[in-house]
């Protein structure tokens, strides 16, 4: 891969752009049925090339310094370091601060798929910079454009598009974490001028040091769970809210991850108070795809470094890439990166069709793929970075060689925006719902509509079909256990208790791993790595099916014992 342009110098990314993405569908959804598809796609390709050149030649060389300096904490003030600021200034000067903002507000109206290609290249160069770019500019701009009133759009969007201000999105709270229903920050309407008062705390807020923040808060008195939430926009000026601290982290060191305190904070409602959960879901779905793509960027960087090193490092009379075990590591890394990328941009296209075309079929397929992209892209990144570290041997822990930074940065990706375990629960919950609605699918091609439609040919096709069969076998095992507990009422929609769901929750990540690898085999079916991807899917799904079949019940017994201790 050419290190002077992270777009044109990355043959796999170029192949995805040129051959795998359904640009005609995106252009018509975004620009209208009469749009010139060829000219529009050519413009988007030029944007990717421009971004790829700047990111490779300017941002990537500063990444080590961004990491070394970290977040500036100066007399209680939290700010980004100068190399990071230089990265962001350059992106803003290129018109890439918030490129999805419509031209009426100073943006380029780029679709999600193109924005994510820029995000991947940024993550390859420096994940900390990509976080600041994505969360500080793109995310608040997207939410304000979708749900803001005319005044809010006019106030914030032009400045976000030019990079004049930076924002954040604040969901997580100290006591809530992934359990959004426990959210305690409140919003109370004051007077009749549209002013709301926020009170509460937020934690682990990426880019939280910025000029404004979108806050998810409880705005309906007496509401519980996911009901009664709203989104609110608050400016930081005149100490309207407090940036209490920036966490000390060993990962994405240059990106401030902040704790925020709201005590009488003035804010305005973003959209209808009470619709907050429905609104924030659009952000969460895109963010989860985005974090999966972050993983692809970091993994690409690690694979490129490992490939170069393995070609140059000579041991026992030959480059180490010619030693079979190292060669297999490199091939595994390449397959993981290519598979994650192909799967991610298939999901990105679906997200564009959902947001712009309101396509219900696309929404269903995007719902299936989103947690798999997040799981496979991030878990794959950790694995690829670990192999890169191993290939470098002792040099891998030396900062000069960068792979230690890639390893550290990769470790945040399976955690934020929903851990890998949360993604597994999401994926398997839907899969079981579709299975119980159509149990006959377990003797056909399974409940996944996308996998059921796929019919690759050749050896890869045989292994893919066998992998799909192992997923069906895993589901049959779990459904049989449910039937033994619930009887025929299960197929009539009987309510399932936590105890009923125990075996499914226990094996959710195994099922998710099987699904992800089988989807990767599907998306690589016509590619050079098809047979390896399909063979890996077969091995993974067979292993997981056996693990489910051989479950001895000890985990659930231990949970029951702990539960009895509490009662």
């Amino acid at each position: 891969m050419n290190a002077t342009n992270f777009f044109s110098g990355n043959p796999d990314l170029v192949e995805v752009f040129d051959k795998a993405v359904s640009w005609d569908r995106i252009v018509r959804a975004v620009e209208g049925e009469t749009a010139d598809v060829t000219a529009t796609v050519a413009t988007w390709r030029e944007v990717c090339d421009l971004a790829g050149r700047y990111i490779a030649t300017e941002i990537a060389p500063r990444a080590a310094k961004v990491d070394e300096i970290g977040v500036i904490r100066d007399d209680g003030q939290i700010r980004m370091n100068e190399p990071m600021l230089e990265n962001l200034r350059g992106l803003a000067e290129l018109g890439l601060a918030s490129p999805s903002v419509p031209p009426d507000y100073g943006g380029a109206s780029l679709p999600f798929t193109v924005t994510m290609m820029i995000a991947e290249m940024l993550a390859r160069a420096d994940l900390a910079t990509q976080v600041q770019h994505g969360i500080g500019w793109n995310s608040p701009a997207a939410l304000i454009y979708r749900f803001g009133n005319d005044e809010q759009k006019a106030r914030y969007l032009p400045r976000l598009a030019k990079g004049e201000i930076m924002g954040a999105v604040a969901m997580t709270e100290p006591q809530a974490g992934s359990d959004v229903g426990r959210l305690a920050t409140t919003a109370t309407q004051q007077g009749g001028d549209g002013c709301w008062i926020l009170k509460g705390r937020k934690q682990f807020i990426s880019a939280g040091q910025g000029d404004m923040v979108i806050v998810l808060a409880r705005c309906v008195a007496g509401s519980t769970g996911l009901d009664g939430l709203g989104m609110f926009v608050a400016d930081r000026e005149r100490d309207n809210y407090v940036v209490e601290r920036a966490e000390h982290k060993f990962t994405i060191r240059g990106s401030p991850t902040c704790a925020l305190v709201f005590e009488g904070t003035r804010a305005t409602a973003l959209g209808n108070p009470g619709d907050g959960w429905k609104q924030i879901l659009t952000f969460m779905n895109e963010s989860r795809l985005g974090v999966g793509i972050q993983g692809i960027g970091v993994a690409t960087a690690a694979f490129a470094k490992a490939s170069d090193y393995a070609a140059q490092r000579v041991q026992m009379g030959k480059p180490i890439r010619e030693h079979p075990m190292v060669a297999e590591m490199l091939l595994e890394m390449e397959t993981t990166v290519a598979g994650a990328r192909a799967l991610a941009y298939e999901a990105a296209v679906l997200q564009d069709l959902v947001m712009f075309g309101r396509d219900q079929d696309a929404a269903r397929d995007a719902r299936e793929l989103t947690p798999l992209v997040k799981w496979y892209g991030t878990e794959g990144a950790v694995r690829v970075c670990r192999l890169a570290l191993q290939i470098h041997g002792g040099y891998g822990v030396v900062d000069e060689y960068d792979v230690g930074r890639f390893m550290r940065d990769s470790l945040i990706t399976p955690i934020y925006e929903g851990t890998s375990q949360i993604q597994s629960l999401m994926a398997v919950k839907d899969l079981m719902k579709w299975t119980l609605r159509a149990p006959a699918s377990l003797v056909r091609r399974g409940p996944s509509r996308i996998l059921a439609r796929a019919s690759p040919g050749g050896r890869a096709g045989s292994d893919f079909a066998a992998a799909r069969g192992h997923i069906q076998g895993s589901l049959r095992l779990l459904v049989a256990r449910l039937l033994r507990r619930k009887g025929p009422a299960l197929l009539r929609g009987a309510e399932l208790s936590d105890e009923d769901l125990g075996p499914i929750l226990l094996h959710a990540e195994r099922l998710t791993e099987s699904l992800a690898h089988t989807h990767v085999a599907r998306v690589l079916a016509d590619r050079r790595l098809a047979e390896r991807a399909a063979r890996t899917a077969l091995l993974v799904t067979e292993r997981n099916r056996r693990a489910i079949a051989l479950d001895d019940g000890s985990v659930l017994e231990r949970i029951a014992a702990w539960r009895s201790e509490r009662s």
Side-chain angles (χ1 to χ4, degrees):
M1 285 183 282
N2 187 330
T4 62
N5 190 316
F6 283 176
F7 179 71
S8 63
N10 184 341
D12 190 67
L13 181 57
V14 170
E15 183 174 356
V16 168
F17 189 103
D18 288 343
K19 298 179 181 179
V21 174
S22 302
W23 290 117
D24 55 337
R25 298 178 70 192
I26 295 178
V27 171
R28 292 189 177 96
V30 175
E31 303 288 342
E33 290 294 331
T34 61
D36 186 331
V37 173
T38 301
T40 302
V41 174
T43 298
W44 291 343
R45 202 180 195 285
E46 289 175 7
V47 170
C48 287
D49 191 68
L50 174 68
R53 185 165 55 252
Y54 174 75
I55 292 167
T57 58
E58 297 291 335
I59 293 180
R62 286 192 282 265
K65 188 59 68 174
V66 169
D67 181 73
E68 178 186 344
I69 299 171
V71 174
I72 305 298
R73 300 168 178 85
D74 184 13
D75 194 24
Q77 297 298 308
I78 307 299
R79 55 188 174 85
M80 296 174 288
N81 61 52
E82 184 55 35
M84 168 78 82
L85 291 171
E86 193 170 351
N87 289 344
L88 296 172
R89 281 194 294 266
L91 289 167
E93 288 168 4
L94 291 175
L96 297 175
S98 294
S100 61
V101 169
D104 290 349
Y105 296 102
S109 197
L110 295 185
F112 180 73
T113 303
V114 177
T115 303
M116 286 300 98
M117 289 186 173
I118 295 171
E120 180 194 326
M121 293 185 283
L122 279 170
R124 176 182 172 184
D126 177 39
L127 184 56
T129 297
Q130 193 282 321
V131 170
Q132 292 301 116
H133 178 266
I135 300 297
W137 283 333
N138 284 332
S139 294
L143 288 172
I144 290 169
Y145 178 67
R146 287 171 197 160
F147 304 114
N149 57 38
D150 290 343
E151 182 180 349
Q152 289 168 329
K153 291 177 183 178
R155 175 178 174 80
Y156 296 108
L157 291 182
R159 291 189 292 166
L160 286 167
K162 294 176 184 176
E164 294 174 350
I165 61 170
M166 183 162 281
V169 180
M171 289 179 54
T172 305
E173 297 185 3
Q175 79 291 343
S178 297
D179 189 359
V180 180
R182 295 185 63 198
L183 185 145
T185 297
T186 61
T188 306
Q189 192 163 19
Q190 185 180 72
D193 61 352
C195 180
W196 291 73
I197 301 299
L198 305 180
K199 184 175 182 179
R201 305 176 72 88
K202 297 289 183 179
Q203 191 173 15
F204 301 137
I205 307 306
S206 297
Q209 85 299 333
D211 307 284
M212 48 82 70
V213 62
I214 296 173
V215 182
L216 187 67
R218 193 166 298 285
C219 59
V220 178
S223 65
T224 59
L226 301 177
D227 295 327
L229 304 179
M231 289 199 302
F232 300 87
V233 185
D235 293 319
R236 189 180 170 192
E237 61 187 11
R238 297 191 295 277
D239 297 324
N240 191 32
Y241 60 90
V242 176
V243 180
E244 185 177 51
R245 68 179 184 277
E247 307 292 351
H248 292 266
K249 317 184 301 295
F250 69 82
T251 185
I252 50 172
R253 285 177 170 167
S255 172
T257 302
C258 301
L260 308 181
V261 178
F262 304 94
E263 192 65 52
T265 298
R266 301 174 304 281
T268 58
L270 189 64
N272 296 321
D275 288 347
W277 177 244
K278 181 172 64 176
Q279 294 168 331
I280 206 73
L281 276 178
T282 66
F283 165 75
M284 291 171 65
N285 290 337
E286 290 182 354
S287 292
R288 285 167 175 166
L289 289 174
V291 174
I293 288 169
Q294 284 181 356
I296 296 166
V298 177
T300 300
F303 173 53
K305 288 284 186 181
S307 297
D308 289 346
Y309 183 83
Q312 297 164 11
R313 176 72 166 170
V314 174
Q315 293 284 275
M316 302 175 193
K318 56 187 174 183
I320 61 172
R321 69 179 180 182
E322 295 176 22
H323 292 279
M325 284 188 287
V326 175
E328 185 175 41
M329 290 180 191
L330 291 168
L331 192 54
E332 180 182 340
M333 295 163 78
E334 182 182 7
T335 305
T336 300
V337 172
R341 180 177 288 121
L343 188 63
Y345 289 113
E346 180 181 57
V349 170
L350 292 170
Q351 186 65 24
D352 270 322
L353 297 180
V354 171
M355 294 307 301
F356 292 99
R358 304 297 189 266
D359 186 319
Q360 292 305 307
D361 287 340
R364 202 271 200 185
D365 291 344
R367 184 179 177 92
E368 177 178 350
L369 295 185
T370 294
L372 303 181
V373 169
K374 171 66 162 71
W375 188 91
Y376 188 83
T378 61
E379 293 291 339
V382 173
R383 174 67 176 159
V384 166
C385 291
R386 173 67 184 84
L387 291 174
L389 201 68
Q390 190 71 20
I391 287 171
H392 278 76
Y395 290 109
V397 299
V398 177
D399 287 342
E400 177 186 350
Y401 284 80
D402 290 331
V403 290
R405 171 167 53 86
F406 301 150
M407 183 78 254
R408 287 188 287 105
D409 283 352
S410 74
L411 292 172
I412 188 59
T413 61
I415 295 174
Y416 61 9
E417 298 302 337
T419 64
S420 291
Q421 291 67 44
I422 291 291
Q423 304 311 307
S424 298
L425 293 177
M426 291 173 57
V428 171
K429 178 182 176 182
D430 280 344
L431 192 70
M432 291 303 298
K433 179 176 65 178
W434 298 329
T435 299
L436 295 176
R437 283 179 181 172
S441 66
L442 293 180
V443 294
R444 295 172 187 159
R445 290 188 168 192
S448 164
R449 186 174 68 173
I450 302 174
L451 291 178
R453 289 194 302 244
S455 299
R459 169 66 184 274
S462 298
D463 287 347
F464 167 83
R468 183 173 58 194
H470 284 306
I471 293 173
Q472 292 168 256
S474 297
L475 291 170
R476 283 196 291 267
L477 287 167
L478 294 170
V479 170
R481 291 175 190 174
L482 275 176
L483 280 169
R484 285 195 292 270
R485 289 185 61 88
K486 305 296 290 186
L490 175 68
L491 303 180
R492 295 195 296 270
E495 290 292 324
L496 298 176
S497 67
D498 287 346
E499 191 173 357
D500 295 328
L501 292 171
I504 296 170
L505 301 181
L506 171 61
H507 297 295
E509 192 156 13
R510 290 188 174 95
L511 284 168
T512 299
E513 182 185 27
S514 294
L515 287 166
H517 277 277
T518 306
H519 274 289
V520 165
R522 174 183 61 81
V523 295
L524 292 182
D526 298 324
R527 305 277 294 277
R528 178 172 53 85
L529 297 166
E531 289 194 6
R532 183 167 188 86
R535 185 165 57 252
T536 300
L538 175 57
L539 293 170
V540 167
T541 55
E542 183 176 17
R543 164 172 51 82
N544 285 329
R545 180 181 180 177
R546 287 179 57 80
I548 294 170
L550 297 173
D551 177 13
D552 64 359
S554 59
V555 172
L556 298 180
E557 288 172 4
R558 179 59 59 88
I559 291 172
W562 287 332
R563 187 180 296 126
S564 67
E565 291 175 8
R566 287 194 294 110
S567 59

